[in-house]
Structures are given as structure tokens and as C-alpha cells.
């Protein structure tokens, strides 16, 4: 018996650069897609755990049809909630990342009709692990373009993103801590040349 997921998900991997000629596009690889709980566990049990990945590796778990890139048509007006765990030895990154993946595929991060969650990402870096949640919009009003969500006022758009941010913070086990989870638009990230763009909202 297979227990179907609400969506089909694709796992992607960014391998660390091997030489100086490597670009983002050479390093990002599509791994596998799945649409059931059983397939998820089969894959999870057979891939390298995050704690064993080399520095500069990433896992990306995105809805099928969305590339884990700012440039994708479904990401280009969006942003992300993200948190950096700077004390890498103090946390269990494998448990945290598993929890976040289960929240994503179990659809507990957003409500029916939000249509915001594009995927989740873990970055393995020298000084931190970062876990991110990518959203389709940045909570503006409008007609579905330029960071807006159709049929939502700016206030409603922002409320949806804040509610998702709170759920994400819970999935990270940070709900009762003083730590701050930050939201930033991908356009800011792209312009800053790094993911450390100025946060628009925090939870
Ligand atoms: P990062 O891995 O998000 O954060 O971005 P880091 O600075 O903590 O390592 C690192 C670099 O990877 C960026 O400066 C870009 O050169 C490249 N990069 C990352 N992302 C998510 C993208 C993307 O979506 N599109 C493109 N073109 N480059 C990206």
C-alpha cells in the first residue's frame, strides 16, 4: 500500500565546486521525484545525511516542476524564510532537516489555497547550517505578478507569509526560543550576490 502525498516532490543536490570554473548551473543536479510516503522513506534511507555532506553542499526539496532557483518563473517574484544555525555541533541537523522535509511533504506549513510553499533547502557551510523555506510571493497586493498574490490585499499577503513563517519556526524547534527567523525577497538576494539580504519580516 502506498500513502499518496498531496504533491509530487523533487529532490535536488548542489555539489561543492571542484575547481574554479564551476558555476551554479554545473553544480545543481536533479536527483529523484516521489509522490508517496513510502517512496520518501526509501529515498531518505539511501542518501547521504546532511551531517555527512561536504561544505558548500545543499539539498533542495521542491514541488515537481519548480527548479530550486531564483530565476524559475514560480520563484522569481518570491522570497524565503531562513535561519542559520551557527553552533553546528550543538544541533542535530539531520533531525531538523528531516522534520522540515516532513512538514513540507505533509503540507503542514501552509493552509489549503495558500499556494505559497515552493520548497525547502538546507545549506552546509563552514560557519553554519542554513535551513530555508521558499515562498511564491513576498506578500504584496496585485494581480499575481511582481511578488503579489492574486486576490490578496497587501495585509492579507503579509499575514499569509507571517503564518507560514511561524509554522516554519515551529518545524525548526525554535518556537519558544529568542532566535529570529528572517524573510527576504529573492531579488534582494540576487542583488546582494548572496543570500544575506536585508530581512523584510521576522518571526
Ligand atoms: P547560497 O548558497 O544561497 O548562500 O548562495 P551562501 O552565500 O551562504 O553560500 C551562494 C551563491 O550561489 C550565490 O551567490 C549565487 O552565486 C549562487 N546561487 C544560489 N542560488 C540559490 C542561486 C540561484 O537560485 N540562482 C543562481 N543563478 N545562482 C544561485
Amino acid at each position: 500500500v502506498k500513502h499518496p502525498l498531496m504533491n509530487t516532490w523533487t529532490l535536488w543536490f548542489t555539489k561543492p565546486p571542484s575547481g574554479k570554473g564551476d558555476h551554479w548551473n554545473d553544480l545543481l543536479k536533479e536527483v529523484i521525484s516521489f509522490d508517496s510516503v513510502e517512496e520518501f522513506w526509501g529515498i531518505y534511507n539511501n542518501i547521504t545525511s546532511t551531517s555527512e555532506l561536504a561544505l558548500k553542499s545543499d539539498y533542495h526539496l521542491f514541488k515537481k516542476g519548480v527548479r530550486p532557483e531564483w530565476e524559475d518563473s514560480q520563484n522569481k517574484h518570491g522570497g524565503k524564510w531562513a535561519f542559520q544555525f551557527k553552533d553546528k555541533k550543538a544541533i542535530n541537523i539531520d533531525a531538523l532537516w528531516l522534520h522540515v522535509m516532513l512538514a513540507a511533504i505533509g503540507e503542514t506549513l501552509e493552509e489549503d489555497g495558500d499556494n505559497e510553499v515552493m520548497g525547502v533547502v538546507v545549506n552546509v557551510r563552514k560557519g553554519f547550517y542554513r535551513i530555508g523555506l521558499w515562498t511564491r510571493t513576498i506578500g504584496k497586493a496585485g494581480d499575481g505578478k511582481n511578488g503579489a498574490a492574486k486576490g490578496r490585499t497587501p495585509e492579507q499577503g503579509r499575514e499569509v507569509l507571517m503564518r507560514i513563517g511561524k509554522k516554519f519556526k515551529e518545524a525548526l524547534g525554535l518556537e519558544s526560543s529568542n532566535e529570529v527567523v528572517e524573510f527576504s525577497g529573492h531579488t534582494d538576494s540576487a542583488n546582494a550576490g548572496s543570500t544575506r539580504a536585508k530581512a523584510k519580516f521576522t518571526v
Side-chain angles (χ1 to χ4, degrees):
V1 180
K2 279 194 184 178
H3 294 81
L5 299 171
M6 197 177 297
N7 284 288
T8 303
W9 295 81
T10 304
L11 180 70
W12 301 73
F13 178 63
T14 308
K15 59 177 186 175
S18 51
K20 49 185 170 176
D22 286 335
H23 293 295
W24 167 256
N25 265 299
D26 309 322
L27 304 171
L28 178 66
K29 304 285 175 199
E30 187 174 334
V31 180
I32 196 165
S33 296
F34 59 92
D35 63 4
S36 72
V37 176
E38 288 77 7
E39 284 172 286
F40 169 76
W41 287 115
I43 293 160
Y44 181 76
N45 290 329
N46 282 287
I47 58 172
T48 305
S49 48
T50 305
S51 59
E52 288 173 358
L53 293 177
L55 296 178
K56 301 192 180 177
S57 303
D58 310 315
Y59 277 130
H60 317 255
L61 184 63
F62 273 64
K63 284 181 180 162
K64 187 179 166 73
V66 185
R67 289 180 62 89
E69 300 180 304
W70 310 318
E71 295 87 349
D72 187 278
S73 64
Q74 297 190 74
N75 288 323
K76 67 181 179 187
H77 301 301
K80 68 167 189 211
W81 285 105
F83 185 78
Q84 293 188 11
F85 294 92
K86 293 188 190 78
D87 192 348
K88 291 173 75 177
K89 287 182 185 152
I91 59 152
N92 182 343
I93 190 61
D94 297 325
L96 287 169
W97 173 236
L98 175 59
H99 205 158
V100 167
M101 286 194 292
L102 290 173
I105 68 176
E107 308 284 342
T108 65
L109 295 167
E110 65 182 346
E111 291 182 3
D112 282 356
D114 284 354
N115 187 21
E116 280 291 341
V117 173
M118 297 287 98
V120 290
V121 184
V122 62
N123 305 123
V124 178
R125 298 293 181 267
K126 188 158 186 275
F128 56 88
Y129 292 112
R130 183 194 296 116
I131 299 184
L133 163 62
W134 286 32
T135 61
R136 191 174 51 86
T137 74
I138 55 171
K140 290 189 196 163
D143 61 357
K145 288 181 187 144
N146 303 320
K150 230 175 193 156
R152 285 179 206 149
T153 65
E155 293 72 26
Q156 288 167 336
R158 194 189 156 107
E159 262 169 41
V160 168
L161 291 183
M162 292 298 287
R163 173 161 47 65
I164 291 168
K166 282 178 195 143
K167 287 282 187 183
F168 180 54
K169 191 174 184 178
E170 276 175 42
L172 293 172
L174 298 173
E175 69 274 18
S176 51
S177 82
N178 293 324
E179 303 283 8
V180 172
V181 180
E182 297 189 336
F183 185 86
S184 57
H186 294 315
T187 312
D188 299 345
S189 305
N191 293 343
S194 128
T195 308
R196 297 207 214 147
K198 204 173 163 197
K200 284 199 161 56
F201 331 123
T202 59
V203 288

